[in-house]
Amino acid sequence: MNKISEKFYNLIEMHYLKEFTRNLGEIEILDDRINCYVDNDKLKQYLSDHRNYLLLGKYKKPKELLKNINKPVYFIIENMKFNSELEVCGDDYDNNCCIEFRNCFFTSNLLFNRLKSIIFKENIFSNNIELVDYYFLKMIDNIEFINNNFCFIYNEKNPYPTSFRMEIRAQNMKFINSKFHYPKIFSRIWLYVKNIEISNSELYGDFLCLISSNIKRSNSRLCFNQVRIEETNSNYNKLNVSDIEASSILYNDIKILKDENDKYYIDYSDEEKSSKTKIYK
């Protein structure tokens, strides 16, 4: 390709990339990804006081011209406050859309669909007055929570806390240096993740259900009234609950209870295999 043809190709490519990103911000093309730094003023055009719907990457493209579009496209949103429900949907074509939130504040429902990757860095998740918070992620390849804070903010107008629900279905998930503190309200978490890493984090709530093929936990603390864990690749002869504090734990169908001295013991009534199982606490 000569210089004129390459220049012409780059102009066409940038034209379609701007169409793909809905001209929401500046575009940066890297070797392994494309970044779109979203302009907050342009983003606010999609926001309202009731419900926000953001559609990313819906376009018609000549694939033979757009070799770079095969890379993941990251929509990077910084320093935004979302006071009403936010729904984000990826493209209908190659599912290359990704989104990254940095230093944002969420007070209501979040829903995501058809996205390749979602990354949260240094955000705050809370509920607002009478709103009920649902954090619902589905059909995602990769999810990362890094340096985030999930907490309920009390308000004099509404001193009674509401409920909180988190449901995540993904191939891979990381929960790093983050805090989830909902100890006094009806909070339920369902994590259906093939590979999950929880590191240097604290999770407090009412109920936790974690179903995964591979669970990696380190330097973390899980405090819930009830915990259910299903790990398909685990060793039944070694149940590690050293980072879990709960009234009852169901670990791979083995019922683990806490006695009056806060010591865990296995309920042998349901599972024969539990008789050979040791608890590491």
Side-chain angles (χ1 to χ4, degrees):
M1 184 182 297
N2 58 46
K3 291 184 178 180
I4 296 178
S5 298
E6 183 177 359
K7 185 177 181 179
F8 180 70
Y9 173 87
N10 291 337
L11 289 174
I12 295 177
E13 182 180 59
M14 185 58 65
H15 168 77
Y16 280 102
L17 283 174
K18 287 183 177 180
E19 183 179 349
F20 181 85
T21 59
R22 296 180 173 267
N23 201 26
L24 284 173
E26 295 185 4
I27 295 173
E28 179 185 32
I29 300 177
L30 303 177
D31 292 338
D32 59 343
R33 60 187 276 179
I34 298 170
N35 291 331
C36 174
Y37 295 93
V38 176
D39 185 293
N40 289 352
D41 291 333
K42 293 181 179 180
L43 179 62
K44 289 177 181 177
Q45 299 175 7
Y46 294 88
L47 306 182
S48 69
D49 294 333
H50 304 288
R51 188 175 183 274
N52 308 307
Y53 180 75
L54 184 59
L55 179 62
L56 304 176
K58 189 177 179 65
Y59 74 121
K60 296 180 180 179
K61 63 185 177 70
K63 293 185 178 180
E64 67 276 7
L65 291 178
L66 291 177
K67 61 180 181 180
N68 277 331
I69 207 64
N70 292 323
K71 302 175 184 179
V73 180
Y74 281 81
F75 293 80
I76 300 175
I77 300 176
E78 298 182 84
N79 303 314
M80 280 290 296
K81 183 176 182 179
F82 298 91
N83 291 321
S84 55
E85 181 176 275
L86 174 65
E87 181 176 356
V88 181
C89 188
D91 68 280
D92 294 332
Y93 296 88
D94 298 326
N95 193 28
N96 278 334
C97 282
C98 308
I99 196 163
E100 183 173 328
F101 294 96
R102 301 175 181 174
N103 196 31
C104 293
F105 186 40
F106 303 93
T107 63
S108 188
N109 305 357
L110 292 176
L111 299 96
F112 295 86
N113 255 316
R114 293 203 302 269
L115 293 175
K116 188 177 185 67
S117 179
I118 301 177
I119 299 176
F120 296 96
K121 292 183 178 180
E122 299 182 349
N123 302 282
I124 297 177
F125 303 80
S126 181
N127 45 350
N128 180 34
I129 307 177
E130 296 181 356
L131 294 176
V132 177
D133 284 8
Y134 293 89
Y135 194 75
F136 180 69
L137 304 179
K138 196 173 182 180
M139 299 172 61
I140 310 298
D141 289 342
N142 178 68
I143 299 174
E144 297 182 15
F145 296 95
I146 303 173
N147 298 323
N148 292 276
N149 190 13
F150 299 76
C151 63
F152 178 81
I153 297 179
Y154 290 86
N155 190 297
E156 292 181 357
K157 296 180 180 180
N158 181 33
Y160 301 102
T162 58
S163 61
F164 183 93
R165 172 189 173 94
M166 174 190 288
E167 181 172 344
I168 295 178
R169 298 175 184 267
Q171 291 293 318
N172 302 286
M173 175 182 169
K174 292 183 179 180
F175 202 86
I176 311 294
N177 295 324
S178 297
K179 293 183 178 181
F180 178 91
H181 283 191
Y182 283 83
K184 296 182 179 180
I185 68 175
F186 189 70
S187 55
R188 290 179 171 266
I189 302 176
W190 284 269
L191 304 179
Y192 304 92
V193 183
K194 185 175 181 180
N195 301 294
I196 184 169
E197 177 183 352
I198 302 175
S199 176
N200 299 314
S201 298
E202 296 179 356
L203 285 82
Y204 292 77
D206 179 50
F207 173 79
L208 170 65
C209 177
L210 176 54
I211 299 177
S212 175
S213 300
N214 182 29
I215 303 173
K216 182 180 179 181
R217 311 193 316 263
S218 61
N219 299 321
S220 298
R221 191 177 184 186
L222 311 179
C223 300
F224 293 85
N225 291 328
Q226 299 179 40
V227 173
R228 176 190 172 194
I229 297 178
E230 293 184 16
E231 186 176 8
T232 57
N233 293 334
S234 69
N235 183 354
Y236 280 101
N237 294 322
K238 181 180 180 180
L239 298 183
N240 184 4
V241 295
S242 60
D243 57 351
I244 299 176
E245 293 185 17
S247 300
S248 65
I249 302 172
L250 190 64
Y251 199 127
N252 288 345
D253 294 328
I254 297 175
K255 190 180 295 184
I256 304 173
L257 303 176
K258 183 181 288 188
D259 62 19
E260 61 276 6
N261 297 318
D262 290 336
K263 300 294 185 181
Y264 286 116
Y265 68 94
I266 296 174
D267 184 349
Y268 294 99
S269 58
D270 296 330
E271 294 290 336
E272 293 181 359
K273 60 190 174 186
S274 64
S275 61
K276 297 181 180 180
T277 302
K278 294 182 180 180
I279 299 178
Y280 287 76
K281 172 65 174 175

